[in-house]
Amino acid sequence: MEETPAEEGDTNKDVEVAPALIAVHPTEKSVAVAVGSDLRVFDLVGNCPVSLVDESEAPYHKDSIRTICYGSKGKLFVSAGDDKTVKIWSTESWRCIFNVVSEKRVSAAAISPNGLHICFADKFGVIWVVDLDGGVDGTQPLANKKAVSLLSHYCSIITSLEFSLDGQFLVSADRDFKIRVTTFPTKPVNEAHEIQSFCLGHTDFVSCIAFISNLECSHGFLISGSGDSTVRLWDILSGSLLDTCDIGDKVELLESKEREGCHSAVTSLCTIADGALVAVAVQSLHGIILLNCDLSNHTLSVVKVVSISEETFIPTSLSTSCSTGYLWMVTGVSSLHNLGHSSLARVKVISGFNKDDPNSTANKVSIVEDDAIPGGMKLLEKLQGGLTFDEKMFLAAAEAVKTAMSNLLTKKQYSTEKRDFRKRTRNDRKLKQ
Amino acid sequence: MLENDANPTISKSTGLPRKRFYRARAHSNPLSDSHFPVPISPSEVDYSLHYPQLFPSNDQRDRSKKIEFADIGCGFGGLLISLSTLFPETLMIGMELRDKVTEYVKERILALRVAHPGQYQNISVDRTNSMKYIPNYFEKAQLSKMFFLFPDPHFKEKNHRRRVISPHLLDEYAYALRVGGIIYTITDVEELGEWMKTCLENHPLFEALTSEELEADPAVKLLSSATEEGQKVARNEGQTFQAVYRRISAAP
Ligand SMILES: C[S@@+](CC[C@H](N)C(=O)[O-])C[C@H]1O[C@@H](n2cnc3c(N)ncnc32)[C@H](O)[C@@H]1O
């Protein structure tokens, strides 16, 4: 075969840093940040930091967390990553209630809208499903769970996994430009054979996907961000591309074009105000781009670039709840070896989104001052692991963020020499000769 | 990005090259690890390159006429050549991973077209990794036949996931095949034959053809005789194992 994802195994630990992640509870009861192996949660209702309880044999994560998310009902939370474990937490007790061992490192995860299944993707492009035995009540004891394989993207790393809003489809995006829409099986859940569509059109890796709700369409419309500097809108039933919004030009206007390559790759996106607005994080942009999504005309257009004055704040992850008008952002990385720091995370919030009048939003959005964000300084102290940071650290982090994003999303570029060597020494080639 | 994107890269309204295509091209290695062009989607497959006599212009071509047969891992192309005259109205394509072999098949088809004017216009070949890019070539339910003749066996258990027939890849083949479409497999390796049959038998979207149906299908007769690999096996009087299944619709 042309390639094997085994190449992922021999990554250089010194340069391999994981971008920080953020997730907000659907009704903003809590906020979670993952930096490296550390999972930090702040309870916004009780206004206090949360202590996680994990009584599994291998408690907490031992290596970089690559994916976190809340279930749409807000009862469950999932975290998973390089330590090949998937942990499912009750958001009531913040106890780990299911522990799942994966054969490979985990790159993405999603919780079904009915809260009955968890899906996760491994570094070989296989998607697994875990049956949660009818859901959770928050007080149940910890259980170890086995996953069964559901489908696979042949030899391609899956970057993002989402259920359609009605739970009928599972959508998976990969580094080979593909988005696959699979009918999620009802019973028995073991294999997902029916492919509804492929959404094809991106000309580089797909980094993130999200659903936008719509009254006329229960599964929702899909949006995707990519290394090709575009955000695209799709009809998942047919796989048709409805609109393409090129954000590369916007970024080029703002940033000096000092670098070639994936300069304006989309790294994260998040729907706001019922999906009328979409916030987009772009590699190397200190701020976000706001798009307006007009579903009656099937168009996506740039509303505004919200820049953040701190040049070092390039968001690595975005999240929002359905209930409030806040957009939560984090920037950070798992490790900054050269500065002797284990990790860095900085959280910021943007407010002023107007659900009923997305167009007026452009003038009203603003960055919330640190002491005015929900949870205030206590929250920042928990999620960031501190309140003050040395500017030098931020600069280093900003660089590391860029590297982390590139490593995560683009395939390793081997020199010709190294490629030849790898080819010659690969087991499968040896066998053939 | 595409070897055949002369048209889609030009904006219809302005006549100028469309930037987004050139943006992708600026990346040193658009498909990262692949060293061959891949169509972005089935609508970007340039039929005028593959079937120039039938589609003089890709832009103005009849979009309802599509490729219907795919020979996966076509090798030296013997099957396509036999099918070409058997189904002269059907468009077919071979998919082959090896560059030199693909070039050979291209030359072979060109030579046949010259030697037999008006014939062999309906077959072509492309270099690609069929395990990754089937959805880039074919829309849902576009194909009526898929052929897997003497695929590489990958004996070791841990290499089974490299096999071109596997439970997960069958999902993609079921996507590309229309209901009623047929998947043909044959091998001289008994273990692989068992494997392919088991995968197909266990898949809810495929059912075996009856012996009467096999008897009546002219394509079945070609399985063991039309390809270079098949002829080699026949010369050595080797046994072959075939599995021929029909794409059925999902149980409600
Ligand atoms: C043993 S040969 C059989 C060739 C031909 N079908 C025949 O019967 O003579 C298998 C062929 O499949 C090709 N092949 C293997 N993996 C492939 C892939 N992933 N995509 C396309 N072709 C592939 C190989 O290059 C080889 O030419």
Side-chain angles (χ1 to χ4, degrees):
Chain A
M1 289 302 92
E2 192 65 1
E3 65 279 296
T4 64
E7 67 186 44
E8 300 310 318
D10 56 9
T11 44
N12 183 343
K13 274 279 163 203
D14 286 335
V15 295
E16 171 103 356
V17 282
L21 305 169
I22 194 162
V24 185
H25 184 273
T27 54
E28 213 161 279
K29 287 184 175 162
S30 55
V31 187
V33 162
V35 229
S37 59
D38 209 8
L39 180 59
R40 304 164 181 171
V41 182
F42 191 84
D43 178 349
L44 284 168
V45 179
N47 200 34
C48 58
V50 169
S51 302
L52 301 173
V53 181
D54 185 354
E55 284 152 356
S56 49
E57 264 172 51
Y60 310 102
H61 287 287
K62 297 283 180 276
D63 204 341
S64 293
I65 298 168
R66 297 293 184 169
T67 177
I68 54 171
C69 70
Y70 285 87
S72 55
K73 288 186 178 149
K75 284 190 174 166
L76 293 173
F77 179 88
V78 63
S79 59
D82 290 353
D83 67 356
K84 304 178 184 172
T85 52
V86 179
K87 291 187 182 285
I88 296 139
W89 310 81
S90 154
T91 59
E92 292 286 313
S93 58
W94 284 107
R95 296 161 64 92
C96 175
I97 47 172
F98 295 109
N99 197 68
V100 188
V101 176
S102 164
E103 284 170 31
K104 311 275 184 254
R105 299 204 219 171
V106 179
S107 58
I111 301 172
S112 67
N114 60 13
L116 299 181
H117 298 100
I118 302 275
C119 286
F120 65 90
D122 72 25
K123 287 255 174 176
F124 272 62
V126 179
I127 295 173
W128 302 79
V129 63
V130 183
D131 189 334
L132 298 186
D133 304 328
V136 287
D137 60 19
T139 54
Q140 67 207 103
L142 173 96
N144 287 310
K145 280 262 154 199
K146 275 220 155 53
V148 286
S149 81
L150 194 62
L151 63 103
S152 113
H153 286 220
Y154 190 81
C155 277
S156 187
I157 291 183
I158 289 159
T159 51
S160 188
L161 205 55
E162 287 286 337
F163 278 92
S164 64
L165 299 175
D166 58 4
Q168 207 193 333
F169 301 105
L170 179 65
V171 184
S172 40
D174 71 29
R175 290 205 312 197
D176 280 311
F177 322 174
K178 264 202 221 97
I179 300 170
R180 169 172 160 167
V181 181
T182 310
T183 304
F184 191 71
T186 41
K187 254 189 113 139
V189 175
N190 51 16
E191 303 259 288
H193 297 294
E194 268 188 89
I195 301 173
Q196 175 65 31
S197 69
F198 282 96
C199 301
L200 300 173
H202 279 300
T203 57
D204 211 324
F205 59 83
V206 184
S207 46
C208 40
I209 51 176
F211 271 96
I212 298 181
S213 62
N214 180 251
L215 284 179
E216 284 144 48
C217 151
S218 59
H219 40 265
F221 283 86
L222 184 74
I223 48 167
S224 59
S226 154
D228 67 8
S229 304
T230 66
V231 176
R232 297 179 197 239
L233 178 68
W234 309 89
D235 168 13
I236 58 162
L237 287 189
S238 61
S240 350
L241 175 61
L242 302 175
D243 198 18
T244 299
C245 182
D246 194 330
I247 51 95
D249 302 340
K250 283 277 167 201
V251 178
E252 275 165 30
L253 283 179
L254 287 161
E255 306 277 311
S256 55
K257 260 185 85 184
E258 86 274 28
R259 285 228 243 160
E260 286 296 306
C262 301
H263 192 226
S264 44
V266 174
T267 53
S268 180
L269 49 75
C270 162
T271 60
I272 314 169
D274 285 347
L277 291 164
V278 179
V280 182
V282 179
Q283 194 174 32
S284 80
L285 175 74
H286 47 98
I288 54 145
I289 299 180
L290 270 187
L291 308 183
N292 177 24
C293 177
D294 178 350
L295 287 180
S296 46
N297 294 310
H298 295 163
T299 58
L300 272 176
S301 50
V302 174
V303 180
K304 188 187 167 90
V305 178
V306 185
S307 346
I308 294 160
S309 51
E310 286 162 49
E311 294 257 326
T312 46
F313 197 95
I314 297 163
T316 48
S317 172
L318 308 174
S319 185
T320 179
S321 66
C322 351
S323 59
T324 66
Y326 291 116
L327 174 70
W328 293 77
M329 308 179 284
V330 70
T331 184
V333 280
S334 55
S335 55
L336 291 168
H337 288 298
N338 46 349
L339 288 176
H341 283 281
S342 53
S343 65
L344 181 106
R346 180 87 176 87
V347 173
K348 278 188 184 290
V349 171
I350 296 181
S351 72
F353 303 100
N354 187 342
K355 195 167 165 152
D356 304 314
D357 186 8
N359 292 322
S360 77
T361 291
N363 313 317
K364 297 209 185 97
V365 290
S366 61
I367 317 274
V368 180
E369 290 298 326
D370 278 0
D371 51 7
I373 68 176
M377 292 310 211
K378 254 181 12 193
L379 171 135
L380 290 180
E381 192 156 10
K382 173 68 182 174
L383 299 184
Q384 299 181 160
L387 290 174
T388 51
F389 301 99
D390 174 358
E391 187 63 17
K392 236 177 42 206
M393 246 175 84
F394 264 120
L395 287 172
E399 268 315 303
V401 162
K402 284 184 199 173
T403 322
M405 283 307 194
S406 318
N407 286 355
L408 185 68
L409 297 168
T410 50
K411 293 185 184 173
K412 301 235 157 28
Q413 303 284 331
Y414 293 108
S415 64
T416 323
E417 214 170 69
K418 206 167 159 202
R419 195 196 317 268
D420 284 349
F421 175 75
R422 291 175 62 85
K423 267 190 189 163
R424 263 185 282 124
T425 53
R426 272 230 312 276
N427 290 332
D428 52 319
R429 302 275 164 149
K430 277 189 212 148
L431 276 178
K432 275 188 199 159
Q433 279 151 18
Chain B
M1 151 123 314
L2 305 160
E3 67 180 359
N4 46 14
D5 60 357
N7 300 312
T9 61
I10 308 289
S11 157
K12 285 193 188 75
S13 49
T14 63
L16 291 170
R18 282 206 232 151
K19 189 165 169 228
R20 62 190 166 101
F21 287 93
Y22 291 89
R23 182 190 302 285
R25 206 176 280 201
H27 292 239
S28 57
N29 201 346
L31 266 156
S32 306
D33 56 348
S34 317
H35 306 290
F36 45 84
V38 174
I40 302 271
S41 67
S43 63
E44 314 256 323
V45 174
D46 188 337
Y47 279 52
S48 70
L49 278 184
H50 287 293
Y51 315 101
Q53 197 176 79
L54 303 175
F55 302 95
S57 147
N58 194 51
D59 247 5
Q60 276 132 46
R61 78 178 154 95
D62 172 8
R63 292 243 159 208
S64 66
K65 183 110 176 112
K66 291 172 188 162
I67 296 168
E68 280 186 60
F69 294 180
D71 183 5
I72 311 299
C74 67
F76 295 98
L79 177 71
L80 287 167
I81 287 157
S82 300
L83 287 171
S84 176
T85 46
L86 194 56
F87 298 91
E89 300 305 318
T90 307
L91 298 179
M92 345 183 167
I93 197 160
M95 303 182 117
E96 173 53 54
L97 188 55
R98 285 180 295 171
D99 196 17
K100 292 235 167 67
V101 176
T102 313
E103 285 310 309
Y104 169 86
V105 179
K106 272 186 199 162
E107 292 300 322
R108 192 173 173 186
I109 294 172
L110 285 179
L112 282 168
R113 286 177 181 171
V114 171
H116 307 270
Q119 283 189 292
Y120 301 103
Q121 297 296 337
N122 59 334
I123 55 173
S124 187
V125 68
D126 219 356
R127 182 188 177 205
T128 198
N129 183 347
S130 68
M131 292 162 94
K132 289 184 92 151
Y133 301 117
I134 292 263
N136 296 68
Y137 283 83
F138 313 115
E139 287 163 11
K140 188 176 187 172
Q142 179 176 331
L143 297 177
S144 59
K145 292 186 193 300
M146 288 182 94
F147 296 91
F148 297 83
L149 275 46
F150 303 96
D152 298 330
H154 297 293
F155 288 108
K156 286 171 100 185
E157 166 99 42
K158 83 182 215 324
N159 287 339
H160 283 180
R161 47 181 227 95
R162 299 216 176 108
R163 288 179 164 172
V164 282
I165 299 284
S166 72
H168 287 156
L169 282 168
L170 281 179
D171 300 344
E172 281 194 19
Y173 306 153
Y175 164 85
L177 279 169
R178 67 187 62 148
V179 169
I182 295 173
I183 186 166
Y184 299 84
T185 71
I186 188 167
T187 175
D188 59 325
V189 179
E190 185 166 8
E191 187 215 323
L192 178 65
E194 270 307 309
W195 164 272
M196 296 197 290
K197 200 184 192 116
T198 309
C199 290
L200 282 159
E201 194 56 48
N202 292 340
H203 199 287
L205 299 179
F206 289 100
E207 78 177 10
L209 263 65
T210 63
S211 40
E212 294 81 52
E213 286 167 334
L214 290 172
E215 194 60 40
D217 186 335
V220 170
K221 296 181 182 60
L222 298 176
L223 300 183
S224 57
S225 64
T227 66
E228 290 61 27
E229 203 58 37
Q231 286 156 12
K232 200 158 80 191
V233 173
R235 271 198 304 278
N236 300 334
E237 289 169 32
Q239 239 191 313
T240 58
F241 309 89
Q242 64 178 43
V244 181
Y245 278 70
R246 182 188 298 104
R247 165 76 156 92
I248 52 173
S249 49

